[in-house]
Amino acid sequence: MAVRFVSVDHDTPMLLPPDLRDWVPADHIVHFVIDAVQLLDLTSAKINHRGTGSAHYPPSMMLGLLIYSYATGTFSSHKIENLTYENLAVRFLTGDTHPDHDSICTFRRENKELLENAFHSILQCAALTQILKVGDIIEARAAERSHQETEVYRQKLEDRERKQRETGHKPRGKAPAPPKQEPSSKDQYNFTDPESRIMKTGGGFQQCYNAQAAVEVESRLIVGGYVTDAPNDKQQLIPVLGSISSAAGKIGTTLVDSGCYSAAAVVQVDLEWTLVRLAYNIKRLYHISQVKKPAVA
């Protein structure tokens, strides 16, 4: 039976002009930015004067464009100009107009004080309307971390109790401390890239990810890889080997950087490869036995 696809027509023009509000969800943050900017006093905004040859864009729109772009992680005036063409929310904010990067850069340069005051005012407005929930965000992450640490804490207690039963003596060392429920002073949150983490790098500390790759030695081709928010490379050996594509074939030898080495991981890898080789040999022996089995008359 033939498959019926949805018709995608790039040529027929729309019979009625589209309403961009139908393409932007009602709870989208761009609506808040537009409304919040309308409440600000923009009489001090510096704009280009008549006779300069440049189009006059309303300060409220230009300010809203910068605030929304910054809030969503775009800072380059060239990239902001591109958003006015490519991003539906930005096209709605600008009323389908397209200020060029020079106009954007000039407005930003000449209205530094206005921008600073506007950002503070909009953040206060967002907090009052409960759109901005910085505390709840950090507390949610603290609760998630506490849940993970509680499992580790419980496992440590069980190990200590088991050792005490086996040896009849109290285990050495301090008893594990229970995890804290409240956020710590080091808890942070990145609004433009919430899944990233602060990690130690060669140049200090940066907000980033930990990228891992598996490379075939002879061809130098990448055969597997993934990105994680865990900073410790010693925990990545098993996951990165698991990410290797089956198209790469059977793995004979694994070379591991010292930063990824841990005894537990090596033991697990060696066990897994042993099981793989065992399963392969069993399958091979079974195939040989089937071939050599005499035919029954």
Side-chain angles (χ1 to χ4, degrees), residues 27-235:
D27 59 348
H28 199 285
I29 191 174
V30 72
H31 296 292
F32 168 77
V33 172
I34 294 173
D35 293 339
V37 169
Q38 297 301 322
L39 301 176
L40 301 178
D41 181 7
L42 304 181
T43 56
S44 63
K46 297 179 181 179
I47 59 175
N48 56 324
H49 299 285
R50 292 185 181 275
T52 59
S54 299
H56 292 259
Y57 293 103
S60 58
M61 185 274 286
M62 296 294 286
L63 180 60
L65 175 61
L66 286 174
I67 290 174
Y68 177 81
S69 299
Y70 283 14
T72 54
T74 303
F75 305 97
S76 164
S77 57
H78 284 83
K79 291 182 179 180
I80 294 175
E81 178 185 352
N82 291 337
L83 289 181
T84 67
Y85 293 95
E86 301 171 354
N87 187 292
L88 281 176
V90 175
R91 293 193 76 149
F92 173 60
L93 187 152
T94 61
D96 205 20
T97 62
H98 310 283
D100 60 85
H101 62 273
D102 185 62
S103 298
I104 295 170
C105 188
T106 300
F107 182 87
R108 176 168 49 192
R109 182 178 62 251
E110 295 183 353
N111 291 279
K112 291 182 179 180
E113 184 176 354
L114 174 64
L115 284 169
E116 182 178 352
N117 295 334
F119 274 107
H120 288 296
S121 299
I122 288 183
L123 286 177
Q124 290 175 354
C125 181
L128 290 175
T129 56
Q130 296 187 343
I131 291 178
L132 179 65
K133 301 180 179 180
V134 179
D136 294 342
I137 291 172
I138 294 178
E139 288 173 2
R141 285 185 58 185
E144 179 183 356
R145 186 198 65 240
S146 176
H147 175 73
Q148 296 174 352
E149 292 177 350
T150 297
E151 292 298 317
V152 176
Y153 169 71
R154 181 182 58 80
Q155 185 62 46
K156 289 181 178 179
L157 287 181
E158 292 179 356
D159 291 342
R160 286 177 64 89
E161 293 175 357
R162 176 180 53 78
K163 291 179 180 180
Q164 185 170 357
R165 289 194 303 267
E166 292 175 353
T167 62
H169 300 286
K170 184 178 179 179
R172 296 182 178 180
K174 296 175 60 176
K180 295 181 179 180
Q181 300 292 330
E182 65 277 2
S184 70
S185 59
K186 295 184 178 180
D187 281 328
Q188 302 183 44
Y189 186 85
N190 187 292
F191 290 95
T192 60
D193 198 356
E195 296 181 355
S196 62
R197 295 291 183 269
I198 292 180
M199 301 183 187
K200 188 176 182 180
T201 62
F205 291 88
Q206 295 183 10
Q207 188 87 22
C208 55
Y209 295 92
N210 185 354
Q212 299 289 329
V215 181
E216 196 276 321
V217 175
E218 295 294 332
S219 64
R220 314 302 290 176
L221 291 175
I222 296 177
V223 295
Y226 73 106
V227 176
T228 178
D229 61 3
N232 193 339
D233 287 343
K234 292 184 181 298
Q235 303 170 355

